[in-house]
Amino acid sequence: MSRKPIISGNWKMHHNHFEAIQTVQKLHYRLESDDYEAVDVTVHPPFTDIRSIQTLIEADKMKIGLGAQNCHWEEKGAFTGEVAPGMLAKLDVQYVIVGHSERRELFGETDEVVNKKVKAVIANKMTPIMCCGETLEEREQGEAEAKVERQVREGLAGLSKQMVANLVVAYEPIWAIGTGKTATAEDAEAMCAKVRAVVADAHGADAAAGVRIQYGGSVKPGNIVELMSQTDIDGALVGGASLDADQFAAIVQYRNH
Ligand code: PEP
């Protein structure tokens, strides 16, 4: 089964809605229709930008996929400060990052919470990008594989084969996020292959063949080609370099390098 690559820009808490509009306009200007045919391109601005970007994408018929960085798992209720998945779906959000390591480490999200969010995103007909990955300490102690396996098994627990085949898992070693350190292409491939093997064991061969696995952690125009040439890496989740439209476009256009 051929899996269409997916390259996603996670803007974290950067870019107000004016800056977001400029960045998406510039990205759209840089990308050609061939790029969208070859790669699914998604941007994940802060919540406050989403309505503006939705309007821009619709007005200019852009093929950029709109994403969010997080959501709650409940549809409504007394959850001050939270955003429901249905609210995002109404804004034509297509992809939601779930369980980013910053959410897990800084905001205490557990595998159980991540699993509820994954299910809520799918129930609202959006695609989860579920993140997993180890700390440097866990890697040095030889615990990286076991941690990632647990995150994948628990995060995707209770989903049908079909659901798993259609979602995205992002393997992001925490020590590589925002640090300028990238996993070697071999190490990134080894863990992405491990993720696929865990999916095969838990959900079957069809789910494993369909699930798209991104690598994330200091992806730049200079390292994307080698990463994308690996068998089990189907895309990238890009933080810092996605804030700049030129750099992000160069990453999306890795085929031309
Ligand atoms: C991320 O935000 O998920 C990420 C991988 O960030 P960076 O590309 O800056 O390392």
Side-chain angles (χ1 to χ4, degrees):
M1 186 192 286
S2 78
R3 296 177 292 271
K4 187 173 181 188
I6 175 163
I7 298 188
S8 305
N10 172 19
W11 292 355
K12 312 191 190 202
M13 201 169 71
H14 297 288
H15 285 347
N16 61 41
H17 73 286
F18 294 113
E19 294 161 336
I21 288 170
Q22 280 183 347
T23 306
V24 170
Q25 279 173 330
K26 203 166 164 190
L27 181 64
H28 178 63
Y29 178 76
R30 291 272 180 274
L31 296 179
E32 309 282 341
S33 57
D34 284 4
D35 297 322
Y36 298 112
E37 269 162 43
V39 178
D40 284 336
V41 183
T42 76
V43 290
H44 299 252
F47 288 134
T48 50
D49 304 355
I50 285 180
R51 175 68 176 150
S52 304
I53 301 303
Q54 177 209 14
T55 308
L56 176 65
I57 286 175
E58 269 178 25
D60 289 359
K61 298 189 171 47
M62 296 178 182
K63 291 186 182 144
I64 296 171
L66 182 54
Q69 301 173 18
N70 180 34
C71 66
H72 199 272
W73 62 87
E74 294 285 355
E75 275 313 313
K76 59 173 80 160
F79 302 105
T80 302
E82 292 290 325
V83 172
M87 296 170 180
L88 298 174
K90 269 271 179 264
L91 291 166
D92 296 331
V93 167
Q94 294 170 271
Y95 296 87
V96 184
I97 298 170
V98 177
H100 190 279
S101 60
E102 287 153 17
R103 302 286 326 163
R104 293 177 187 260
E105 303 262 303
L106 303 174
F107 301 97
E109 287 191 10
T110 60
D111 290 321
E112 194 190 343
V113 163
V114 170
N115 182 242
K116 285 187 197 171
K117 291 187 177 191
V118 166
K119 288 176 175 161
V121 169
I122 294 172
N124 282 278
K125 300 189 169 43
M126 299 178 290
T127 302
I129 298 180
M130 190 196 75
C131 302
C132 57
E134 79 285 359
T135 62
L136 186 58
E137 198 185 355
E138 287 161 341
R139 173 156 285 257
E140 284 170 354
Q141 290 178 358
E143 293 165 2
E145 286 209 353
K147 181 185 187 190
V148 169
E149 172 162 0
R150 190 202 72 222
Q151 288 178 321
V152 172
R153 282 189 191 277
E154 295 186 14
L156 304 182
L159 300 185
S160 71
K161 292 175 187 183
Q162 190 65 28
M163 287 172 182
V164 177
N166 289 315
L167 55 73
V168 180
V169 174
Y171 166 59
E172 300 205 300
I174 296 170
W175 48 271
I177 298 179
T179 57
K181 291 184 196 156
T182 325
T184 62
E186 293 71 32
D187 284 350
E189 166 64 11
M191 194 64 94
C192 290
K194 169 77 185 173
V195 168
R196 201 176 303 283
V198 171
V199 169
D201 185 55
H203 302 277
D206 289 349
V211 67
R212 292 187 289 177
I213 304 176
Q214 295 176 318
Y215 167 79
S218 298
V219 173
K220 302 273 183 285
N223 57 26
I224 184 71
V225 177
E226 204 189 353
L227 289 163
M228 290 304 291
S229 69
Q230 308 299 314
T231 315
D232 286 295
I233 299 181
D234 306 311
L237 182 53
V238 185
S242 73
L243 295 172
D244 179 85
D246 288 330
Q247 278 204 55
F248 192 47
I251 291 171
V252 171
Q253 293 170 327
Y254 69 92
R255 303 168 338 278
N256 308 339
H257 293 203

